Amino acid sequence: TFDKIDREIDDLSKEISGGPQGKTKKKDPSPDDDPAYQAWIRDNDWYNDDIDLTVYAEQVAPVIARKTGLEGRAFYDEVAKAVKAKYPDKFTNTRRAKPSTVEGAGDIADERKSGKKTYSDLPPEAKAACDRFVKQELVTKEQYIKDYEWE
């Protein structure tokens, strides 16, 4: 009985590994073999550089595949679109959204027309003091100019 079961195990092992009976286990296609995947990886370096984005992409990919039926580059682009929608802050330049700290020229021109004193009218030592106070967030530039005792 032992020998019979041992032969059956050997036969099944050979069958699974593609032995003499000619049956081979079908290998699942790897994305690494897909040229569309390789091109997509080159265009989306975030996939290998950011673990959070990679994990989310791996989780959402099967859902997108099942729902859309897309394949190739269209499928990969849809995955990227989903990741970018989930993590928009990782794909935008947050500094670009902040307002500029540079004063607009229109404000200065308007103040000069109205006869008001401006930052450029301050003496050098007052400008230095103003810059220090503004940097320390003790006062705004406009407040300093307003409070400055003009001669």
Side-chain angles (χ1 to χ4, degrees):
T1 307
F2 175 79
D3 289 338
K4 181 181 175 191
I5 293 173
D6 196 36
R7 279 192 303 272
E8 288 178 16
I9 291 173
D10 285 343
D11 290 344
L12 289 172
S13 296
K14 288 177 186 174
E15 187 176 319
I16 290 173
S17 65
Q21 296 180 4
K23 294 184 182 178
T24 59
K25 185 176 179 183
K26 184 178 176 184
K27 181 184 171 200
D28 290 333
S30 169
D32 295 331
D33 299 334
D34 184 1
Y37 174 76
Q38 293 302 321
W40 183 81
I41 287 294
R42 282 191 300 276
D43 296 341
N44 295 278
D45 55 352
W46 56 262
Y47 183 77
N48 289 320
D49 294 343
D50 189 304
I51 189 72
D52 294 332
L53 301 178
T54 304
V55 168
Y56 184 72
E58 294 291 331
Q59 290 173 342
V60 77
V63 176
I64 291 172
R66 189 174 56 248
K67 285 186 175 182
T68 66
L70 293 172
E71 293 180 354
R73 184 61 189 239
F75 165 72
Y76 299 121
D77 287 341
E78 195 64 28
V79 170
K81 189 168 132 184
V83 171
K84 289 175 183 179
K86 175 77 173 174
Y87 295 96
D89 55 313
K90 294 200 178 202
F91 294 96
T92 58
N93 184 346
T94 55
R95 290 184 178 192
R96 200 174 276 175
K98 290 183 180 178
S100 173
T101 58
V102 177
E103 206 174 285
D107 297 337
I108 295 170
D110 292 342
E111 289 174 358
R112 287 199 178 143
K113 286 179 189 173
S114 66
K116 291 183 181 178
K117 299 284 187 176
T118 66
Y119 178 80
S120 60
D121 296 322
L122 292 172
E125 62 276 359
K127 285 181 183 177
C130 177
D131 292 340
R132 266 194 326 272
F133 295 147
V134 169
K135 186 175 182 180
Q136 295 172 357
E137 297 180 359
L138 299 173
V139 68
T140 64
K141 190 182 283 190
E142 293 77 19
Q143 187 65 42
Y144 183 88
I145 294 167
K146 179 182 171 194
D147 294 345
Y148 182 76
E149 293 190 22
W150 300 94
E151 297 174 2

